[in-house]
């Protein structure tokens, strides 16, 4: 049951582009739940946890994801499919992992829908680059560490390490770097960051299937990250965090604490902050 509130209606002929969060169904928004309740057809991606679809037993399910890293549906086909479904008068829910406008091509789908005169609603979601780190015990900002954070993709349109990015600029200007889709090219990217002056010993965390039961995190450093990913046998999807924020995990790995493990270091930044000063 949704709390009493004037919840929007998903009308016939509309498409709602909705974020499903990073995995854990508890990280859906109430707007997403409201959408799931009303949808007649759900077009969903690989990163949308199947358990979430079970909350919409009435809805037809259309899979629009990738399998084995290969695009099995091209983006234009997916967008036009949404147009067709809306024109057929369906109540369409386009469900995407995380937030639909964060590295998820939601903007492109929304553009196509608008160009075809289809009315849309955007339902933001909790993005993996923030929540995945939080579930690993890494605050994406912390006053003692960073006043900015840079979200990057490790993958461009052609499937290469993004050449349009000014890696030297990022190395210089980014206090904490949070990378989506970085697994394939992390060796090349870490080498570029080091070549541009980043400390090879800088802490790095790699978290896979974040927020789900099989979440795994390794802590490493910029120099060794690619090798350590391989040694640990980690597979995508993964969020890679580069920066001192990673050190805070020694104190804040709350999932380890829940399993009975003690914090490794209560003051990993060496600040000896008194218990609390506003
Ligand atoms: N729109 C999504 C991102 C889509 S791009 C969002 O806002 O989260 C796909 C990338 O997101 C993956 O390659 C991975 O880098 C990241 N990702 C999504 N879900 C994840 C999860 N549960 N654990 C780790 N990384 C995840």
């Amino acid at each position: 049951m949704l709390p009493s509130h004037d919840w929007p209606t998903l009308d016939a002929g509309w498409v709602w582009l909705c974020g499903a969060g990073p995995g854990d169904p508890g990280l859906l928004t109430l707007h997403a739940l409201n959408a799931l309740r009303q949808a007649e057809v759900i077009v969903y991606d690989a990163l949308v946890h199947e358990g979430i679809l079970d909350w919409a037993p009435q809805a037809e399910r259309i899979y629009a994801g990738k399998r084995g890293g290969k695009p099995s549906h091209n983006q234009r086909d997916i967008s036009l499919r949404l147009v067709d479904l809306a024109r057929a008068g369906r109540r369409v829910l386009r469900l995407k992992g995380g937030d639909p406008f964060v590295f998820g091509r939601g903007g492109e789908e929304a553009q196509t829908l608008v160009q075809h005169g289809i009315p849309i609603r955007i339902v933001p979601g909790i993005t993996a680059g923030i929540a995945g780190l939080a579930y690993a015990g890494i605050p994406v900002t912390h006053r003692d560490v960073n006043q900015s954070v840079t979200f990057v993709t490790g993958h461009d349109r052609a499937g290469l390490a993004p050449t349009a990015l000014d890696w030297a600029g990022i190395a210089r200007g980014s206090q904490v770097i949070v990378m989506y889709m970085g697994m394939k090219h992390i060796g090349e990217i870490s080498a570029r960051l080091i070549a541009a002056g980043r400390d090879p010993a800088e802490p790095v965390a790699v978290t896979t299937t974040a927020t789900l039961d099989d979440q795994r995190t390794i802590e490493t450093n910029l120099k060794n990250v690619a090798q350590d990913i391989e040694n640990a046998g980690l597979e995508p999807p993964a969020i890679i965090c580069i920066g001192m924020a990673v050190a805070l995990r020694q104190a804040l790995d709350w999932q380890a604490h829940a399993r009975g493990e003690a914090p490794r270091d209560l003051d990993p930044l060496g600040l000896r902050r008194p218990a609390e000063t506003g």
Side-chain angles (χ1 to χ4, degrees), residues 13 41 43 62 80-92:
V41 48
V43 182
I62 299 176
L80 293 177
R81 184 86 187 262
L82 295 171
V83 170
D84 289 344
L85 289 165
R87 287 203 171 139
R90 315 287 302 272
R91 301 169 202 275
V92 187

Side-chain angles (χ1 to χ4, degrees), residues 22-23 47 97-100 102-104 126-129 179-182 207-212 237-239:
L47 285 171
D99 182 282
V102 178
F103 299 129
I126 297 184
T127 190
M179 195 180 303
Y180 293 70
M181 295 175 276
T207 297
T208 59
T209 51
T211 79
L212 292 168
I239 288 293

Side-chain angles (χ1 to χ4, degrees), residues 142-269:
H142 183 295
R143 277 196 302 177
D144 295 327
V145 172
N146 58 328
Q147 290 69 46
S148 70
V149 54
T150 305
F151 295 101
V152 299
T153 172
H155 223 254
D156 67 11
R157 216 176 249 272
L160 305 169
T163 42
L165 281 179
D166 175 1
W167 289 105
I170 289 174
R172 264 195 316 278
S174 304
Q175 294 170 299
V176 169
I177 302 169
V178 176
M179 195 180 303
Y180 293 70
M181 295 175 276
M183 293 288 262
K184 192 158 169 208
H185 300 301
I186 187 61
E188 183 183 340
I189 291 168
S190 55
R192 281 183 194 232
L193 291 170
I194 292 169
R198 218 65 192 207
D199 181 357
E202 185 167 3
V204 175
V206 183
T207 297
T208 59
T209 51
T211 79
L212 292 168
D213 289 344
D214 57 348
Q215 171 177 319
R216 279 182 72 191
T217 300
I218 61 163
E219 290 170 41
T220 171
N221 59 41
L222 206 49
K223 178 162 177 284
N224 297 330
V225 56
Q227 189 61 54
D228 285 346
I229 287 172
E230 198 180 318
N231 293 347
L234 295 187
E235 299 283 346
I239 288 293
I240 301 174
C241 179
I242 301 167
M244 283 312 289
V246 170
L248 290 163
R249 186 166 190 266
Q250 295 171 30
L252 302 181
D253 184 1
W254 55 273
Q255 300 206 45
H257 308 164
R259 290 191 300 268
E261 294 169 33
R264 281 172 286 155
D265 185 347
L266 288 174
D267 183 22
L269 300 175

Side-chain angles (χ1 to χ4, degrees), residues 109-149:
E109 292 177 19
Q111 274 180 299
T112 304
L113 290 162
V114 169
Q115 280 161 8
H116 286 80
I118 307 296
I120 60 169
R121 182 183 184 97
I122 307 297
V123 180
I126 297 184
T127 190
I130 296 177
L133 295 185
Y135 267 48
I138 301 168
V140 75
T141 75
H142 183 295
R143 277 196 302 177
D144 295 327
V145 172
N146 58 328
Q147 290 69 46
S148 70
V149 54

